[in-house]
Amino acid sequence: VSTGHDSQFIDIFRDEANERLDTFVETVLALESGTADAGAIDSLFRDAHTIKGGAGMLGLDEVRALAHGVEDVLANVRELGTFPLELAEPLLRAADALRAQVAGTGGAALDVLDALAEGQASLEQHEPSLVDMVGSPRGPSERRAIRVPAEKIDRLLDLVGETVLHRRRLEHVLGGGRDEHDESVSDELDHGERLLDDLKDAAIEMRTLPLSSIAGKLPRAVRDIAAELGKDVELTLVGAETELDRVILESLSEPLVHLLRNAVAHGIESPKQRKKAGKPKQGSVVLSAKQRGALVAITVADDGQGVPPDVLSDAAGASLVEVLTRPGFSTASEVTDLSGRGVGLDVVKRHVESYAGSLEVRSEPGVGTQITLLLPLTLALLDVLLVERGGQVYGVPLASVEEVVSVRDTLSLQGRPALELRGNSIPLADLADLLGATAPPLAEGSPAVIVAGQRKIAVVCDRLLGEEEVLVKSLGPLLANVGGYLGATILGDGRIALLTDPNRLGSARRSRVEARPAGPAERLAPKVLVVEDSFTVRELQRSILEAAGYRVVTARDGKDGLDKLGREEDVALILTDVEMPELDGFQLTESVRANPATASLPIVIVTSLASDDDRRRGIEVGADAYMSKRSFDQQALLETVERLIGR
Amino acid sequence: VSDVHVRLSVGGESYALPVENVLEVAELGDLATVPGAGGAVLGVCNLRGQVLPVFDLARVFGIAGATVPARLLVAEHDGRRVGLAIEDVTDVGTLPAVEEATDSEFLVGAALDDGHLVGVVDVGRVFAALEREARP
């Protein structure tokens, strides 16, 4: 493994390992007190396994050895099906030792390994004093919570939406003007409407969780990062009760830790510098969440040195977000061991945009930096402006609509139509052209919607139909690859409106493609799908592959991998881990092989499971290559990928 | 798996689909076109509150379409659901044994029924083709 990548990834690994160890300890304590749930042992095993994998790839042999020892013991416990109480102590000690090793202050921890081996031995002659951990209903903290697959809630939402439409039809049948009826009918209709509103809210609420559900560990993480850098920083949480779509929230933990790390490492000055600048010795980082209409704004603000003035002046017209998210951009003038900037703000931006959100950055030299993630409150509801073009209805997310103007005089700039608006020239385009639809010519004076996606653009349509809060429905797996849409919705009259993706509208992708003279298609770099549940390993692999010129898509587990594979057009190879939640690497390989469309896709399994059995299983399910994380070698990986893609 | 098939006419020809892949048959109603999708995608329709993609089956089969589809066959495979625009459903019942081999990638083979050739559809392959056809 090249050291260039090491320095960048060791910090990420450290954060991830610490986070894993936090849950590890919590889980062991829960097992000890009999309040653990059925998946507790699996969760412990995965924590140890992930730490082992990451450590192996980064060449941290002591960490790897200890994590391996823990994993071995847990593998036996898993077989046993019950958790022996006397194992809690050595496991907790192992967690402490791992934490010290990860921080670089621990040694080989031979005594801990011995204790584990002892616990291991005692497992074999184990019989009584076992805690039945499978769904143990012991203890006072019995929770009446159930896990429901998201699809079931979506189906419920579909049905609520249908019921709303049904109600409107019923109202129509009863004869448009309600006042013709006696009061009792209209009372009942009003009552029904209120019930339906409540029902819709209740269904949507099931999809949301408060920010506090992921924020608990953040103050500790900030304190640890600060301590390591010799800084004094306090994290304050504001608005932690703010609710957000569960799917989005669960994916936010990693990006937030990154933003916090950046704030501490690059924002907050050393105590000496702060004193010189007349600031309090203790730096402050505030993580706040607030609802802004249909969006939730999550802000990480520090009172540090801000972005250097020369960076601000370098921006030259580009926004601060654009400058800071250029791949590999770093504001640290000196490289500290925490400056893992290669997977910095650009990754966070991509992440936010994948949920139709956006990123805002404000910074003032000497005063501090504020980074705001704007995310939809729920993925199920969207406020849109409905417009019509060529007899079809489209929805534009209201969050990115700046204003609506009527097109009278159009200008031309560099051969492209533009609109003059209060002294600014904004590119102008027909909605039909942007989407690739055919439609009759636009009338003079048609309305133009000023859409601010990645770029600002005036989108012209036939007429506006008004604002509406709509239920977002997926276009389904088969149409998922058709870019440019966030989904579709069903309107009050039963018609379907496609919901346009404002970021894609602005990039005017299609019209440009059409305008290009027919010639040999550009050869794009092959795309590799990296499926890996460890953030460290995933980003390390991404960075290695991207550095070698590949395009990379990542997925968090096998299920996510299959989704991505369905959505991404031209994946040329899959690189997958084995041990993952939801769907493991073997199952993923099987599914990919079973689908005729992807049956011949090259698959490389990279894992720390390196027994012959596993190897055989990997080959049996149809993997093309099997690489061990233990002997992970960047060059070997690239050679294997290149050979299989045939580049 | 039963050998009951749904017989349908597409582009003036006769085809058969295993009945377990057919959820329902309805009139081909209003569709919203999906600009940017492949040519075989006729659009999306509202099937009781769910958004269903609709494909022109004659075009997927590469039959120069002289006929206009009037019916919608809702098919399911591997948890994925699509609408297939067809002319009509002619029959539901058991099919004579598949005798004729074909070189079509979409067919398991062909059966000879009362002097007519019936193409027996390989649903998995058709869905894989739909996935390709969905893109521009």
Side-chain angles (χ1 to χ4, degrees):
Chain A
V1 179
S2 101
T3 46
H5 286 296
D6 274 13
S7 58
Q8 218 176 75
F9 285 98
I10 283 183
D11 341 322
I12 308 175
F13 169 70
R14 210 168 276 164
D15 284 350
E16 183 176 35
N18 279 325
E19 214 172 288
R20 292 274 181 177
L21 287 170
D22 285 345
T23 42
F24 186 92
V25 169
E26 273 170 34
T27 313
V28 172
L29 294 175
L31 279 166
E32 203 180 29
S33 63
T35 56
D37 65 19
I41 297 290
D42 283 340
S43 147
L44 289 180
F45 183 84
R46 263 204 307 278
D47 290 335
H49 184 81
T50 301
I51 294 170
K52 186 186 83 173
M57 293 190 77
L58 292 168
L60 306 171
D61 287 336
E62 285 171 350
V63 179
R64 201 199 62 78
L66 182 50
H68 186 72
V70 173
E71 193 191 43
D72 271 355
V73 174
L74 290 168
N76 285 348
V77 173
R78 194 149 72 160
E79 257 168 51
L80 206 63
T82 45
F83 185 81
L85 287 175
E86 53 268 44
L87 217 52
E89 184 56 35
L91 284 177
L92 289 174
R93 278 177 61 199
D96 288 342
L98 279 170
R99 217 185 280 272
Q101 286 177 342
V102 166
T105 57
L110 293 173
D111 53 325
V112 179
L113 277 169
D114 286 347
L116 280 173
E118 235 170 78
Q120 172 92 311
S122 75
L123 277 182
E124 270 119 56
Q125 56 225 306
H126 222 287
E127 268 171 57
S129 97
L130 296 177
V131 175
D132 175 17
M133 69 196 193
V134 183
S136 164
R138 297 159 38 114
S141 61
E142 190 179 344
R143 284 258 176 81
R144 302 287 298 160
I146 51 166
R147 280 179 167 271
V148 182
E151 300 85 59
K152 285 195 181 173
I153 293 174
D154 289 346
R155 182 71 194 126
L156 181 64
L157 275 171
D158 278 351
L159 290 171
V160 171
E162 276 304 284
T163 313
V164 171
L165 296 188
H166 170 255
R167 214 195 78 88
R168 284 189 202 152
R169 282 197 298 273
L170 183 67
E171 219 170 313
H172 186 75
V173 170
L174 285 174
R178 271 207 235 156
D179 20 60
E180 293 167 19
H181 296 277
D182 62 80
E183 230 167 79
S184 64
V185 173
S186 95
D187 279 355
E188 282 306 314
L189 282 172
D190 284 343
H191 183 58
E193 187 164 2
R194 281 193 301 276
L195 283 177
L196 271 177
D197 269 351
D198 289 351
L199 184 59
K200 187 175 79 178
D201 289 348
I204 285 166
E205 232 170 69
M206 279 196 258
R207 287 185 53 122
T208 62
L209 281 177
L211 178 68
S212 56
S213 62
I214 61 158
K217 289 175 201 131
L218 297 175
R220 173 76 196 273
V222 165
R223 209 184 60 199
D224 289 352
I225 297 167
E228 194 155 333
L229 290 165
K231 293 180 182 178
D232 186 2
V233 182
E234 189 186 30
L235 175 70
T236 316
L237 296 176
V238 178
E241 71 288 349
T242 309
E243 301 236 333
L244 190 68
D245 195 282
R246 195 184 52 210
V247 176
I248 299 179
L249 196 67
E250 281 169 359
S251 74
L252 269 186
S253 189
E254 292 169 350
L256 282 182
V257 169
H258 275 269
L259 291 180
L260 292 172
R261 190 221 329 274
N262 283 352
V264 175
H266 308 297
I268 305 291
E269 312 88 331
S270 68
K272 223 166 94 191
Q273 283 166 315
R274 288 184 71 88
K275 199 176 162 198
K276 217 168 106 191
K279 291 181 175 182
K281 180 171 143 276
Q282 188 178 53
S284 151
V285 176
V286 180
L287 173 65
S288 60
K290 199 165 118 191
Q291 197 171 334
R292 276 198 212 167
L295 296 174
V296 174
I298 298 181
T299 303
V300 173
D302 65 64
D303 69 344
Q305 58 197 348
V307 173
D310 55 317
V311 171
L312 288 176
S313 55
D314 268 3
S319 76
L320 196 51
V321 177
E322 281 172 284
V323 176
L324 295 178
T325 54
R326 282 180 194 147
F329 186 87
S330 173
T331 56
S333 44
E334 63 194 282
V335 178
T336 67
D337 68 339
L338 266 173
S339 57
R341 301 303 303 256
V343 288
L345 213 51
D346 51 333
V347 175
V348 177
K349 179 162 177 270
R350 266 204 300 263
H351 185 82
V352 170
E353 281 172 358
S354 70
Y355 291 114
S358 60
L359 195 66
E360 284 176 1
V361 182
R362 259 181 241 165
S363 187
E364 206 176 316
V367 179
T369 302
Q370 246 187 52
I371 296 183
T372 302
L373 315 181
L374 279 171
L375 290 158
L377 171 66
T378 159
L379 294 173
L381 281 181
L382 192 64
D383 278 319
V384 295
L385 175 64
L386 293 173
V387 304
E388 199 177 77
R389 179 70 184 111
Q392 264 201 210
V393 185
Y394 299 94
V396 184
L398 215 48
S400 41
V401 172
E402 291 207 333
E403 62 182 303
V404 177
V405 297
S406 159
V407 182
R408 295 291 165 197
D409 316 293
T410 58
L411 313 164
S412 179
L413 197 68
Q414 295 181 325
R416 287 166 193 254
L419 183 82
E420 160 90 20
L421 192 65
R422 288 184 294 275
N424 289 316
S425 151
I426 299 168
L428 182 85
D430 181 345
L431 176 60
D433 289 345
L434 290 175
L435 297 172
T438 46
L442 287 156
E444 176 75 8
S446 295
V449 182
I450 312 294
V451 180
Q454 274 171 348
R455 224 169 280 158
K456 201 180 281 190
I457 185 166
V459 180
V460 195
C461 55
D462 293 327
R463 61 195 185 101
L464 305 175
L465 302 178
E467 294 176 27
E468 202 170 312
E469 184 185 58
V470 298
L471 212 50
V472 181
K473 288 159 193 270
S474 146
L475 286 176
L478 284 166
L479 296 184
N481 285 322
V482 181
Y485 303 104
L486 298 172
T489 192
I490 294 176
L491 301 172
D493 58 6
R495 282 196 297 171
I496 293 180
L498 293 170
L499 306 175
T500 60
D501 179 347
N503 288 323
R504 300 290 275 273
L505 276 181
S507 66
R509 195 172 52 101
R510 287 215 180 85
S511 49
R512 230 188 308 138
V513 168
E514 275 169 354
R516 196 183 289 163
E522 274 175 49
R523 263 186 75 95
L524 279 170
K527 191 187 279 177
V528 177
L529 173 63
V530 172
V531 188
E532 166 68 61
D533 62 334
S534 156
F535 188 63
T536 316
V537 177
R538 195 163 74 223
E539 290 304 325
L540 175 60
Q541 290 172 341
R542 179 215 286 277
S543 133
I544 291 171
L545 289 165
E546 280 182 348
Y550 293 97
R551 288 179 295 152
V552 179
V553 193
T554 58
R556 288 186 304 272
D557 55 55
K559 194 165 164 292
D560 190 25
L562 280 183
D563 288 350
K564 292 272 162 64
L565 195 58
R567 231 177 302 144
E568 293 289 334
E569 301 198 352
D570 41 3
V571 171
L573 180 137
I574 301 175
L575 189 69
T576 181
D577 183 25
V578 173
E579 278 278 335
M580 290 180 289
E582 299 278 353
L583 194 70
D584 72 24
F586 294 139
Q587 292 166 315
L588 171 68
T589 306
E590 274 171 343
S591 307
V592 170
R593 287 287 174 256
N595 180 350
T598 55
S600 59
L601 202 59
I603 301 177
V604 180
I605 292 187
V606 182
T607 180
S608 41
L609 299 168
S611 76
D612 286 344
D613 272 358
D614 289 320
R615 213 172 267 272
R616 201 161 44 235
R617 178 138 187 242
I619 303 299
E620 266 169 22
V621 294
D624 296 279
Y626 199 95
M627 306 187 74
S628 158
K629 272 182 200 166
R630 172 116 195 240
S631 57
F632 189 77
D633 169 350
Q634 180 179 337
Q635 203 51 43
L637 172 73
L638 289 176
E639 275 166 19
T640 307
V641 169
E642 203 174 309
R643 175 171 58 82
L644 289 171
I645 289 183
R647 194 156 73 129
Chain B
V1 179
S2 74
D3 56 354
V4 178
H5 282 68
V6 175
R7 209 94 59 87
L8 39 120
S9 53
V10 179
E13 299 179 356
S14 193
Y15 291 92
L17 238 74
V19 72
E20 55 270 15
N21 294 111
V22 179
L23 295 178
E24 63 179 287
V25 179
E27 293 303 312
L28 185 58
D30 286 342
L31 295 176
T33 58
V34 181
V41 179
L42 290 176
V44 284
C45 76
N46 172 5
L47 184 77
R48 287 186 301 281
Q50 284 180 314
V51 176
L52 186 77
V54 180
F55 290 78
D56 183 348
L57 191 57
R59 182 164 170 154
V60 174
F61 283 169
I63 311 168
T67 51
V68 181
R71 308 273 276 171
L72 179 76
L73 181 141
V74 183
E76 191 176 48
H77 173 68
D78 211 6
R80 294 177 300 178
R81 206 171 275 196
V82 298
L84 301 173
I86 58 170
E87 275 132 52
D88 207 356
V89 165
T90 51
D91 183 30
V92 180
T94 49
L95 209 62
V98 174
E99 296 169 336
E100 316 277 325
T102 74
D103 58 359
S104 163
E105 66 159 309
F106 304 117
L107 302 182
V108 177
L112 202 57
D113 185 27
D114 213 9
H116 296 283
L117 265 183
V118 180
V120 182
V121 175
D122 182 333
V123 181
R125 291 240 171 125
V126 168
F127 267 73
L130 296 181
E131 206 163 317
R132 289 196 302 272
E133 296 277 350
R135 295 174 211 150

